[in-house]
Amino acid sequence: MLRVENLSKSFGGVTATRDVTLDFPTGSLSAIIGPNGAGKTTFFNLISGLIRPDRGRVVFDGHDIVELSSLEVVRRGMARAFQVASLFPSLTVREALTAAITSHQRRGWILWRRFPLSGTSERVDEIMELLGLSARASTLSRNLSHGDQKLLDIGLALAMDPKVLLLDEPTAGMGPDERWRMIGQVHRLWEAKRMTVLFIEHDMDIVFKIAESVHVLKYGAVLAQGTPDQIRQNQDVIDAYLGTDHHLASAIGEA
């Protein structure tokens, strides 16, 4: 579904992404990990069209999309939820999802109508049910808890009917209980839809619990990739984290 080939990007004299080549099969659930400054978010920015690489290819569903705008990439079926949720604060959960779905249908001009288009309400209900937000349908986005705001942000991405879903640190800023609730919802979503999901995550317990494959970046380059068992036993990965985050290295060794 998604393949990047020799992807590279520099900002001035700093190389953020260096000759990255990775494959993400259709329906896979993959984690992107790495020490701070490893280039994880830059990698997401490159494949989603927010920035263009200096060289390399991004092949999505059989087509090179490296020259497309971020809007065109979304139209082709790649959606993203950001580390900091980007919401419509004055809209309820239902209203926000309705607006997103209607916009994706390229019918934003009818948002002033009293009733949504046929099928839109059913799609909104489906997304809320998938994410456990049905009970908060009438809650203003700004009044949601931090965790529910992140879930709504994922819901807005799902409104784009993606083939590939990018999640940039979906558990950022959450306590332990909320973090596991979030990742449980992500896993249930993936099981229900079997879309290709890539997520950036720093919590190794979460990574090793749900990811099918793990891709490790360091200084913008691929350090290692494999199953969770292969990664937790990879000495290069352990050494990379020992040099930057002792707690994270301990989690890798103990997982």
Side-chain angles (χ1 to χ4, degrees), residues 202-253:
H202 287 286
D203 189 323
M204 291 299 100
D205 290 336
I206 286 174
V207 169
F208 292 139
K209 177 73 172 179
I210 73 165
E212 288 188 316
S213 62
V214 182
H215 307 272
V216 188
L217 301 181
K218 183 182 180 184
Y219 299 133
V222 177
L223 176 66
Q225 53 184 318
T227 66
D229 283 341
Q230 291 170 333
I231 294 301
R232 67 162 57 95
Q233 297 171 24
N234 187 303
Q235 190 60 47
D236 289 338
V237 176
I238 295 172
D239 291 344
Y241 280 114
L242 278 171
T244 57
D245 190 327
H246 292 274
H247 173 74
L248 203 54
S250 176
I252 290 174

Side-chain angles (χ1 to χ4, degrees), residues 7 16 20 38 56 134 177 224 244:
L7 204 62
V20 171
S134 299
D177 292 342
T244 57

Side-chain angles (χ1 to χ4, degrees), residues 121-138:
S121 293
E122 289 81 2
R123 178 69 176 139
V124 169
D125 288 340
E126 178 190 5
I127 292 174
M128 290 193 299
E129 180 67 26
L130 276 172
L131 297 175
L133 291 173
S134 299
R136 296 163 183 81
S138 299

